[in-house]
Amino acid sequence: MDPIVTAELARCNDGIPFNPKQHHVHSTWAKTFLSRPDLYFQPESLAEIEKIVKLAHRCHRRITTTGCGHSPSSLTCTSSWLVNLDKFNHILSLDTSTGVVVMQAGIRLYQLCDELAKHDLAMPNLGSINQQSIAGAISTGTHGSSLRHGTMSSSVLSLRITTADGVSRFCSPDEDPELFRAAILSLGALGIITEITFQAVPEFTLKWQQVIDTDVKMFNSWGKGLWTQTEFVRVWWYPYTRRAVIWSADRTSEAHFDPPRSYYGGALGYYVYHNLLYVAQYIPPLLPWIEWFVFGMEYGFPNGSKSQAIQPSRQALLMNCLYSQYVNEWAIPLHKGPEALRRLSSWLNHLPPTDPDYVPHNIPFSAKDLWVHAPIEVRVSDNSSLPSNRRPLLDQTVDDGPTLYLNATLYRPYYHDPPCRARYYEAFEWLMRDLGGRPHWAKNFEATGEDLESMYGTKLQEWRKIRESLDSAGVFVGPWHRQNILGSGNTLLHEEVDTGSTKVSDKEVLFRGSIPTESNPCKRE
């Protein structure tokens, strides 16, 4: 261990455990980024967390907090100290009469859902997966797909957060609301969230149906009940076949039954699709055929194909992420959805003006010889009815209406980057900006700090001021934060060096796709 840290430990001598692991390699779930932290911690008590933070401050070390690492970005990567809260994951109290539950922040969503179910309670909404920690989910703006619900943080009643001085602070919409609005979507840059008070709801069952049909039919129903027909609605749009899968679900008291299973829907379909995507890395023009074949096998080839099931909400709202992937998701006003998808279709499909589905896309990049895979995931939420003291300062949702999320996923078959990624995402992000969009904080966006300043204005400035007042030394500042949200005036613990595409400090080394060696500590693919 570093002699400076050893000396501070000896001076401390308070009996509180300090048990870091060395030589740990941290990876995002998709293995899009990896890093080797100097020290890796899994604290089991608040006293341990506070001690780690105090020592980091004294020893001029940075702290990054992580859960399952499901974000495909470098947000949780560090070469300094990495804190994982998987062992700080207990329910502290649960009131069955009100549904108010107090929990340690490291609890994973699937663990929380299982614990709530034991008391006939549930989370009001879920995203597509349940592997994240509750702190990670709210700190990045995780959402589900329902106009009757906001982002996951809208159900948070209060927080406790350990800031850079090692002091744990309580905040809520009524008590220290400025800190609450900054911490409820903190991006890990204000401190370590340690305790969350959450509003659960009575357990419920969902009857869901998914239908595959033409995208024109979806566009025509957009403002005529598509998103209000049931409590939960989500769509997958397929650009080459110009079809859409519409998944809708409402509460029911009917008996459970599982979705239909086919010989293709399990391991066979998984490996067929994976290998076809790998072949398409070398023969990209195969991708339109792969889209037609794979999703026809999965959902049905004829328009109007349907499937149904009745499941507990904690199961019905989830989906399988399948393979390693890049994810670039943006939030735009709901009413701009048809325009966004039609313009993207015209660009990707090279539609001529004579095509009945043609609209001018105006995207200033060529789509010649560009082939993409995986559908666009289309979801919704609405934070606009929340009072201002409950909305995060960095809320990416639309300020005054319902929000549409467009998620351009690109799979990485056998961890190989798709050749279309750079140009596709460049065009996709240009279109999203043109429509007044904001990127999802946890995803693979390329928007610059200047872009984000123009999108958030005074709210970003206010968030920075609160962050700086809590952590002027930059204990919770990593290279991702400096590149994306902190601007030029932030205090740094170490001198910055430029490694090419990512500006990092001498104690904040990121690498992508392979584990570094002593001779090459910043190896990239």
Side-chain angles (χ1 to χ4, degrees):
M1 195 182 300
D2 189 301
I4 298 175
V5 178
T6 303
E8 284 292 340
L9 273 174
R11 190 177 297 117
C12 200
N13 194 27
D14 55 9
I16 298 172
F18 185 84
N19 301 311
K21 177 182 176 182
Q22 295 179 289
H23 311 299
H24 174 80
V25 174
H26 169 67
S27 171
T28 60
W29 168 82
K31 291 186 169 53
T32 45
F33 287 91
L34 303 94
S35 64
R36 179 180 284 158
D38 185 33
L39 296 179
Y40 176 73
F41 301 86
Q42 286 192 307
E44 299 182 44
S45 68
L46 179 59
E48 287 180 72
I49 293 172
E50 291 175 340
K51 180 173 182 175
I52 292 167
V53 174
K54 288 175 183 176
L55 282 171
H57 191 274
R58 291 177 196 163
C59 299
H60 303 286
R61 299 296 184 268
R62 298 191 190 281
I63 291 179
T64 296
T65 312
T66 187
C68 71
H70 200 275
S71 168
S73 79
S74 61
L75 180 59
T76 59
C77 288
T78 183
S79 63
S80 196
W81 291 8
L82 184 65
V83 176
N84 173 272
L85 298 180
D86 279 353
K87 295 182 179 180
F88 193 72
N89 63 348
H90 300 295
I91 299 291
L92 301 177
S93 67
L94 193 156
D95 188 328
T96 55
S97 62
T98 63
V100 174
V101 55
V102 182
M103 69 200 85
Q104 293 175 331
I107 193 168
R108 301 287 188 91
L109 297 183
Y110 68 86
Q111 295 171 322
L112 175 58
C113 288
D114 289 345
E115 289 298 316
L116 292 176
K118 294 175 184 177
H119 301 276
D120 299 321
L121 294 171
M123 297 185 69
N125 197 6
L126 277 170
S128 297
I129 63 164
N130 62 0
Q131 296 298 312
Q132 312 103 310
S133 67
I134 181 68
I138 65 171
S139 293
T140 54
T142 296
H143 60 91
S145 190
S146 172
L147 288 184
R148 302 184 201 175
H149 299 275
T151 55
M152 194 173 293
S153 63
S154 64
S155 297
V156 174
L157 303 177
S158 66
L159 296 173
R160 199 173 297 277
I161 181 170
T162 302
T163 52
D165 56 4
V167 175
S168 296
R169 290 171 164 79
F170 177 85
C171 59
S172 73
D174 300 315
E175 186 173 336
D176 203 346
E178 292 80 12
L179 175 58
F180 182 79
R181 292 190 70 197
I184 200 70
L185 204 165
S186 70
L187 300 171
L190 273 68
I192 299 177
I193 294 174
T194 57
E195 183 181 295
I196 294 171
T197 303
F198 191 87
Q199 181 64 65
V201 298
E203 188 174 22
F204 60 99
T205 297
L206 289 175
K207 181 176 184 178
W208 62 259
Q209 172 181 271
Q210 62 184 18
V211 182
I212 187 167
D213 216 323
T214 65
D215 61 4
V216 171
K217 195 168 183 179
M218 173 190 67
F219 296 145
N220 290 340
S221 65
W222 195 276
K224 301 176 182 178
L226 172 64
W227 299 105
T228 56
Q229 58 184 307
T230 53
E231 182 175 356
F232 301 93
V233 183
R234 62 186 177 214
V235 172
W236 292 272
W237 174 69
Y238 300 89
Y240 294 125
T241 58
R242 300 192 225 174
R243 298 205 295 174
V245 174
I246 298 175
W247 185 96
S248 57
D250 243 338
R251 302 182 190 223
T252 184
S253 57
E254 298 178 42
H256 296 188
F257 69 87
D258 290 329
R261 296 187 177 275
S262 68
Y263 74 94
Y264 179 81
L268 175 63
Y270 177 90
Y271 288 109
V272 166
Y273 187 29
H274 205 178
N275 285 291
L276 286 173
L277 289 175
Y278 185 73
V279 171
Q281 295 283 91
Y282 303 96
I283 316 174
L286 286 176
L287 286 169
W289 176 85
I290 292 172
E291 179 182 301
W292 170 82
F293 172 77
V294 169
F295 296 103
M297 292 293 291
E298 181 69 24
Y299 299 114
F301 289 97
N303 290 332
S305 297
K306 297 181 181 179
S307 59
Q308 294 180 318
I310 298 177
Q311 297 175 297
S313 62
R314 65 183 184 276
Q315 297 175 4
L317 292 171
L318 303 179
M319 60 171 286
N320 191 336
C321 287
L322 294 178
Y323 320 113
S324 171
Q325 58 195 251
Y326 289 113
V327 185
N328 200 341
E329 183 175 46
W330 285 62
I332 64 174
L334 177 62
H335 67 89
K336 293 187 178 181
E339 178 189 353
L341 295 178
R342 286 181 184 274
R343 289 173 66 180
L344 197 58
S345 178
S346 291
W347 184 73
L348 285 171
N349 290 303
H350 310 280
L351 296 184
T354 55
D355 191 293
D357 293 333
Y358 170 81
V359 295
H361 59 74
N362 297 324
I363 296 173
F365 307 103
S366 172
K368 183 180 180 182
D369 299 323
L370 179 77
W371 307 93
V372 305
H373 62 263
I376 299 286
E377 185 180 28
V378 187
R379 294 181 290 167
V380 292
S381 76
D382 193 348
N383 265 6
S384 62
S385 62
L386 289 175
S388 61
N389 64 348
R390 296 194 62 186
R391 288 195 73 170
L393 287 171
L394 297 184
D395 188 359
Q396 68 262 42
T397 66
V398 175
D399 292 333
D400 56 359
T403 297
L404 179 75
Y405 302 90
L406 296 181
N407 180 347
T409 297
L410 287 174
Y411 289 132
R412 303 174 65 236
Y414 299 105
Y415 302 111
H416 287 73
D417 284 3
C420 63
R421 179 190 171 215
R423 189 154 41 118
Y424 179 40
Y425 278 177
E426 183 177 41
F428 178 74
E429 291 198 14
W430 183 93
L431 178 59
M432 294 299 99
R433 289 189 194 93
D434 193 51
L435 294 169
R438 294 171 177 164
H440 190 300
W441 289 109
K443 306 304 171 68
N444 296 112
F445 64 87
E446 298 291 338
T448 65
E450 290 78 11
D451 292 331
L452 295 170
E453 287 176 351
S454 68
M455 295 170 189
Y456 286 90
T458 57
K459 290 181 180 178
L460 180 54
Q461 295 171 21
E462 184 178 349
W463 182 89
R464 286 174 177 169
K465 179 184 278 189
I466 294 170
R467 202 221 69 79
E468 185 75 10
S469 70
L470 297 171
D471 181 21
S472 61
V475 172
F476 292 101
V477 171
W480 185 96
H481 302 104
R482 292 197 299 279
Q483 177 177 319
N484 291 289
I485 60 171
L486 291 185
S488 58
N490 186 67
T491 302
L492 300 179
L493 287 178
H494 301 282
E495 181 182 356
E496 286 189 341
V497 295
D498 196 341
T499 62
S501 61
T502 303
K503 187 173 283 188
V504 300
S505 78
D506 60 342
K507 286 296 293 177
E508 294 290 350
V509 179
L510 307 182
F511 54 99
R512 203 174 83 194
S514 56
I515 296 173
T517 63
E518 293 300 324
S519 61
N520 186 5
C522 193
K523 188 173 181 181
R524 298 174 185 269
E525 283 185 326

